[in-house]
Amino acid sequence: MKLEDIEFLGELPSKYKPSLESLFFFNPKQKLNILKIEKAIDRYGYPRIIVNNGNIKIDLEKSKNCQNLFLVRKDIPVVLGVIIHTRTDKTTAELIHFAVDSYSEGGLSILENMLKEIYRIYGRIKDIEKIKITYINRIMRLNHNG
Amino acid sequence: MTKSEFLSELHEMLEITSIKELTPDTVLKEIEEYDSLFLLTIISIIDEKFGIQLTADQLSTITTLQSLMELIGIEKFE
């Protein structure tokens, strides 16, 4: 798989729903991090899939302004990664939830590509200095060259 | 900080229980706890302890903990 075989989307055509459910809601790796995920749920509410104009996205009960970043395959309806993120104050963005397909194909690292996109999104916002990761309650300073 | 102090701290901060201790030769992807959250934790630890912001591209160059320490700057370890 090459870079031209994938794309970033903010919401998904509904044909991706089974893959999204599988990656985000029924991911067997979640049990390894269940306490960390529960902290995010306590703070931002339960995630759920909502439909908007025929497209789907993930919404959080207590955070109506959260954004979605999906990395998907173009050729088949497979979601490779999802990050639910939001800006929490003037200088901070927060990665509230994320799920990444563990298997990178052809040397393509899904996490690296998603991080680059997150850096690109928030790198355009001058005031954003750091990105908080809710699951681990830790900060990554924003590397605008990253 | 010595290499062994760093590795010991990393072991604790990453909450690794599958192996008793980390060595410079430990291959990250072979650690049972290795996943995307594990990598993000490493990025934040390196930023917090050394003031180094690893880029997404640099992640792919890290194979062993020795390569991580080289990326940080081997001179930072006594």
Side-chain angles (χ1 to χ4, degrees), chain A residues 98 112 116 138-139 141 143, chain B residues 44 47-48 51 53 57 60:
Chain A
F98 64 91
E112 283 164 37
K116 271 189 199 173
R138 298 188 74 93
I139 295 289
R141 280 183 302 153
N143 185 333
Chain B
S44 66
D47 190 353
E48 179 188 301
Q53 298 152 58
D57 282 332
S60 60

Side-chain angles (χ1 to χ4, degrees), chain B residues 11-73:
Chain B
H11 185 271
E12 189 184 330
M13 292 171 97
L14 290 167
E15 300 173 13
I16 296 170
T17 56
S18 62
I19 48 175
K20 233 176 171 182
E21 61 177 11
L22 298 173
T23 72
D25 296 328
T26 302
V27 177
L28 282 177
K29 285 184 180 175
E30 291 176 1
I31 300 172
E32 202 177 304
E33 287 85 355
Y34 178 90
D35 62 8
S36 49
L37 192 55
F38 186 93
L39 277 177
L40 289 178
T41 307
I42 288 179
I43 293 175
S44 66
I45 289 172
I46 302 310
D47 190 353
E48 179 188 301
K49 296 195 81 63
F50 299 97
I52 294 171
Q53 298 152 58
L54 294 179
T55 65
D57 282 332
Q58 285 173 315
L59 279 182
S60 60
T61 68
I62 304 168
T63 50
T64 61
L65 288 168
Q66 177 68 25
S67 67
L68 174 63
M69 289 187 283
E70 284 169 6
L71 202 59
I72 294 165

